[in-house]
Amino acid sequence: MQKILRRVATAERVVAKRKKKDTKIKDKKNQSRQRERRMQQLSVLTAASRQSKQATKDAWELGPLAPRYDVGRDAGTRGSIQEQRFTTYPDISKTQLEARCAWAGGSDLLCLAVNDRVVVMEGPDKGRIGKVTQILLDKGEVYVEGLNKSNISIDVDIRRDDIPPVLSAELPIAISRVRLVHPIKDPETGETKDVIINRIEPRNQIQDRYTGKRRWSRVVPGLNAGIPWPEKDDDDTKEKKADTLRIDVEEKTFVPTLLRPPMPESLIDELRGKYSRFRTRHDPEYVARLEAEEQAKQDRKKLMDTMRTPLQEFHRAEREKKKKKGKPRLTIEMLEKIGEVMARNMERQRNGGALLEESSEAAENRAVPDAPIGAGSEDTPPPPSS
């Protein structure tokens, strides 16, 4: 059991490491993509700002003689913005997304839905109330009906003849720039008024085990007042003969019991790791297949041994001759010769030792000279004093 737990822990670490590496690579790619989009949008804004400044300068200095810039492909687009100004907007990071959705419960459990009434807190439409028509969760933005509209010029290459060059369209608004508006009854006066809700939190989260969908309620913190979800619009989708009925989709076609396995045995073998090197028991077919693969490797090795070059054949024949001869044996003549060599070496060693002793004695005699007789004796008189 401990071995299994260690293997599971090792596998989890490997998966976490691989996931971290993949996330890092993905983040680098996203950063480079965002940088490109940001530079593209910046170039479009710079060109539009330069053109607007030049047009203003020409109109001030030249008056009626000022050149017109809304001609040719840009005919009739004066005072509008290009489509690239908002279509090339770069993606935002997870931190920026959470900051935008902080007041509404976060991006995972966003307490904002389509058909909610919101008020714009910033911009030219500040203080105006509208209905949410679309939510962009990946960018933390919403479309509000009738608010934040602008004139957008459509490129000639993508518009039809019956479409005007400029369209008035709604642009997305960041969720941080809007607040929820809901009628709440005043407990003191009993009047029901629209109240701007600056903060809302998710509560009572429930996840469906079959569909995986999550549901939660939204509550105003402090007041503990629940805010009901808005009613959804009726679906106008028409049914067709080829459509699958909902009753057929939700029908349970499999009920697990203890009388048979919950899944086919082949699938159980795949989940169990049938060919894992950690298994101690294998099916006979798998063992036979491995034995056949090993025999095929040996046969191939033998076949490659038969395919030799002439030099390899010569070396092989020489080795076979040496094997046939066996180990060499010493004859009597060889032994006598070896004895003579050994005796000669022993005699040389003895002679060398005697010569070494004689040379050492001679060196000692040369180093210590013989002293004269009577020198340094007590009978020798001392030298006369002056």
Side-chain angles (χ1 to χ4, degrees):
M1 189 65 184
Q2 296 295 331
K3 187 183 292 185
I4 295 175
L5 293 176
R6 287 196 299 270
R7 290 173 183 169
V8 171
T10 304
E12 289 178 353
R13 288 195 298 269
V14 171
V15 171
K17 187 176 180 180
R18 188 184 300 116
K19 185 178 180 180
K20 183 178 179 180
K21 183 179 179 181
D22 296 342
T23 304
K24 188 175 181 180
I25 294 173
K26 187 177 180 181
D27 291 343
K28 286 185 177 180
K29 291 182 179 178
N30 290 338
Q31 289 177 2
S32 61
R33 192 180 300 110
Q34 291 178 11
R35 193 181 301 109
E36 291 177 0
R37 291 182 178 180
R38 194 178 298 110
M39 294 300 295
Q40 183 178 1
Q41 188 184 26
L42 183 61
S43 63
V44 173
L45 289 173
T46 304
S49 176
R50 188 184 299 111
Q51 184 178 359
S52 300
K53 290 180 180 180
Q54 185 64 33
T56 304
K57 181 179 179 181
D58 293 343
W60 177 263
E61 294 179 352
L62 302 179
L65 300 179
R68 295 184 58 185
Y69 294 95
D70 54 340
V71 293
R73 295 175 62 91
D74 299 332
T77 61
R78 182 178 178 82
S80 63
I81 63 174
Q82 298 180 0
E83 185 184 4
Q84 298 177 353
R85 295 236 345 232
F86 63 93
T87 57
T88 59
Y89 189 80
D91 298 333
I92 62 176
S93 62
K94 184 66 176 178
T95 306
Q96 294 173 337
L97 180 62
E98 292 297 333
R100 287 186 175 184
C101 305
W103 72 270
S107 60
D108 293 335
L109 301 175
L110 186 65
C111 297
L112 201 63
V114 178
N115 293 333
D116 269 334
R117 296 171 63 239
V118 294
V119 58
V120 180
M121 306 297 292
E122 300 176 9
D125 293 329
K126 180 179 179 180
R128 299 184 61 183
I129 299 175
K131 186 184 294 186
V132 177
T133 58
Q134 185 181 357
I135 299 177
L136 305 177
L137 279 177
D138 56 342
K139 293 185 178 181
E141 297 174 340
V142 293
Y143 284 89
V144 183
E145 184 179 3
L147 300 182
N148 198 30
K149 300 183 72 175
S150 180
N151 295 329
I152 302 173
S153 61
I154 308 300
D155 195 353
V156 180
D157 298 331
I158 61 176
R159 74 166 184 260
R160 299 193 302 269
D161 297 337
D162 56 342
I163 297 178
V166 176
L167 295 177
S168 179
E170 301 162 356
L171 300 182
I173 308 174
I175 296 179
S176 59
R177 296 174 56 187
V178 299
R179 292 294 184 271
L180 183 65
V181 176
H182 188 75
I184 296 179
K185 185 177 181 180
D186 191 352
E188 297 180 357
T189 61
E191 297 181 0
T192 303
K193 296 181 180 181
D194 285 341
V195 178
I196 298 176
I197 301 174
N198 291 321
R199 185 169 182 81
I200 190 169
E201 294 180 355
R203 300 283 177 83
N204 304 326
Q205 179 184 355
I206 300 174
Q207 185 171 5
D208 193 345
R209 58 182 301 183
Y210 296 105
T211 61
K213 295 181 178 180
R214 295 183 297 175
R215 295 177 298 170
W216 60 90
S217 58
R218 48 186 186 176
V219 178
V220 180
L223 299 177
N224 291 327
I227 305 298
W229 295 97
E231 297 181 359
K232 296 182 179 180
D233 297 333
D234 295 336
D235 191 3
D236 298 336
T237 305
K238 296 181 180 180
E239 296 184 357
K240 298 181 180 179
K241 294 183 179 180
D243 294 341
T244 304
L245 300 178
R246 183 166 184 169
I247 190 173
D248 296 334
V249 175
E250 296 180 352
E251 181 184 1
K252 293 184 178 180
T253 58
F254 175 76
V255 179
T257 64
L258 298 177
L259 301 179
R260 61 178 184 273
M263 57 189 70
E265 295 183 359
S266 59
L267 182 57
I268 294 177
D269 290 339
E270 292 181 7
L271 297 176
R272 193 180 291 165
K274 182 177 180 180
Y275 306 114
S276 174
R277 61 187 180 91
F278 299 111
R279 282 180 62 94
T280 57
R281 297 187 301 274
H282 295 281
D283 295 340
E285 296 83 0
Y286 178 65
V287 176
R289 194 187 74 182
L290 292 183
E291 292 178 351
E293 292 177 357
E294 187 66 24
Q295 186 64 31
K297 290 181 181 178
Q298 294 180 2
D299 296 342
R300 181 174 178 81
K301 187 176 180 181
K302 291 181 180 179
L303 179 62
M304 294 186 67
D305 290 341
T306 57
M307 301 171 62
R308 292 186 292 269
T309 61
L311 183 60
Q312 292 176 345
E313 289 284 352
F314 175 74
H315 291 164
R316 188 180 184 86
E318 291 294 329
R319 288 195 297 269
E320 291 179 355
K321 287 181 182 179
K322 290 181 180 180
K323 287 182 181 180
K324 289 181 180 180
K325 288 181 180 180
K327 294 183 179 180
R329 295 181 179 181
L330 297 176
T331 61
I332 298 175
E333 296 178 355
M334 291 181 180
L335 293 175
E336 291 178 354
K337 195 71 175 176
I338 293 173
E340 292 177 359
V341 173
M342 293 174 65
R344 194 180 307 116
N345 292 339
M346 291 291 293
E347 186 68 23
R348 189 180 296 110
Q349 290 179 1
R350 292 195 192 98
N351 297 335
L355 292 173
L356 183 60
E357 291 178 359
E358 292 178 359
S359 60
S360 61
E361 291 177 359
E364 289 177 359
N365 294 333
R366 287 194 300 270
V368 182
D370 297 336
I373 299 174
S377 61
E378 295 179 356
D379 299 337
T380 304
S385 58
S386 56

